[in-house]
Amino acid sequence: MTNLVTIDSINRDIINCTRCERLVTYTRLVGKNKVKRFSNDEYWARPVTGFGDTQANVLIIGLAPGAHGANRTGRLFTGDHSGQWLMRALYETGFSNIPRSTSTDDGLILNNIFISSCIRCAPPSNKPLNSELANCSKYLIYEQELLKRVKVVITLGHISFLTYCKINDLRKLKFYHLANYRVNDRHLIASYHPSRHNTNTQRLTWEMWVKVFKLTKIILSNNN
Ligand code: SF4
């Protein structure tokens, strides 16, 4: 790790990052040209940091801030459909104090969880370029080095899974929902992303989704 040794210094670096010109332009544009339902909101429109418990045993890695979710509210999985699914599941399995995530002042407290993402700026159509993923992966590496107590990593979606494998030089692991790999001293669980597309098409059902967090609980209790 370089001189970025604390979560605050990592976060400062992320918030001020302008490395991917396409994404910086897009996130600002979305913040200016708001959708009607959020026309009264002041959009964050900048890179979004990870959040949660830095002593956590569980690290969740999403794909990217949602254009009108985290890019609006300034917190990952906050203010959009994916956030609703994630927080309800975390609440039902004892990983958070409330079942929703609507704004940075909603009172949400994560229990034993840190949430991050592969890329920190909202990409057009939720599709980051490989070069952008490569640019941003250093922040995930820094966080990973800082989060020393992590025992379970949950990757949401194929890209998150591949990104995690890439930064940890894990080869030949296959992505499928509820894949559970033991790698070094951690478990890696792969899950479909709780995007609107996946949940509306039933590719990811509520039952399949909650199983991810129930499995995490079992792994943690077997580790104690
Ligand atoms: S995606 Fe990551 S590397 Fe690119 S500008 Fe945003 S914070 Fe920086």
Side-chain angles (χ1 to χ4, degrees), residues 126-146:
N126 285 324
K127 287 188 179 141
L129 304 176
N130 285 339
S131 58
E132 292 161 349
L133 285 163
N135 287 345
C136 215
S137 63
K138 65 175 181 176
Y139 297 125
L140 195 53
I141 293 169
Y142 293 149
E143 284 171 345
Q144 183 176 260
E145 288 180 21
L146 199 79

Side-chain angles (χ1 to χ4, degrees), residues 9 25 32 35 38 51 57 70 89 111 119 145 147 164 175 202 209 217:
S9 57
T25 305
K32 257 191 210 167
V35 288
F38 299 129
F51 79 106
N57 294 138
N111 174 24
I119 196 153
E145 288 180 21
L147 299 166
Y164 184 79
F175 174 84
Q202 301 274 297
W209 176 233
K217 281 260 160 178

